[in-house]
Amino acid sequence: MGKPTSRALTLAGHRVHFLRTQQGMGLRELAKKAGVSAAMISRFEHADGDATLTLVDRLREALGLTWDQLMNSECSHEYICRFCGVELAESSEEETK
């Protein structure tokens, strides 16, 4: 698979973080399920690394989501990402501390 646009990649990373924490899943658990390193996931979630659709697909599968669920998850509140300023869905408690 190829590389998505940087905006799509940034949004996907934030959504993975949000949905992972919503499911109560830690980085190591997701890394084990997806077959990638926790450091790679962390960099992806914070838009601080080079990612491919293959990585996004592995994470999506490990979270038990369809592509539509990953890219179009709806939440009732919006917030601004503290890392890049992108508007995102409601933050988890982990992000607000």
Side-chain angles (χ1 to χ4, degrees):
M1 292 185 167
K3 292 185 179 183
T5 65
S6 60
R7 172 122 174 108
L9 193 60
T10 298
L11 289 173
H14 289 299
R15 292 214 187 268
V16 164
H17 180 261
F18 176 73
L19 295 166
R20 173 180 63 77
T21 56
Q22 233 187 8
Q23 291 184 24
M25 191 181 301
L27 277 172
R28 289 186 186 122
E29 182 181 354
L30 180 57
K32 185 175 181 178
K33 286 183 174 189
V36 299
S37 72
M40 182 182 285
I41 296 170
S42 180
R43 286 191 305 271
F44 172 64
E45 287 181 346
H46 297 106
D48 185 30
D50 197 23
T52 64
L53 286 174
T54 301
L55 172 63
V56 180
D57 193 48
R58 285 182 174 194
L59 297 174
R60 177 200 58 78
E61 260 187 30
L63 289 167
L65 302 169
T66 65
W67 276 101
D68 189 52
Q69 289 169 321
L70 174 62
M71 300 309 292
N72 297 310
S73 59
E74 293 182 21
C75 297
S76 59
H77 298 91
E78 296 293 320
Y79 79 106
I80 305 298
C81 172
R82 65 180 178 211
F83 301 105
C84 69
V86 171
E87 289 186 23
L88 301 165
E90 179 181 349
S91 67
S92 67
E93 281 190 34
E94 177 183 303
E95 294 168 319
T96 56
K97 290 183 180 176

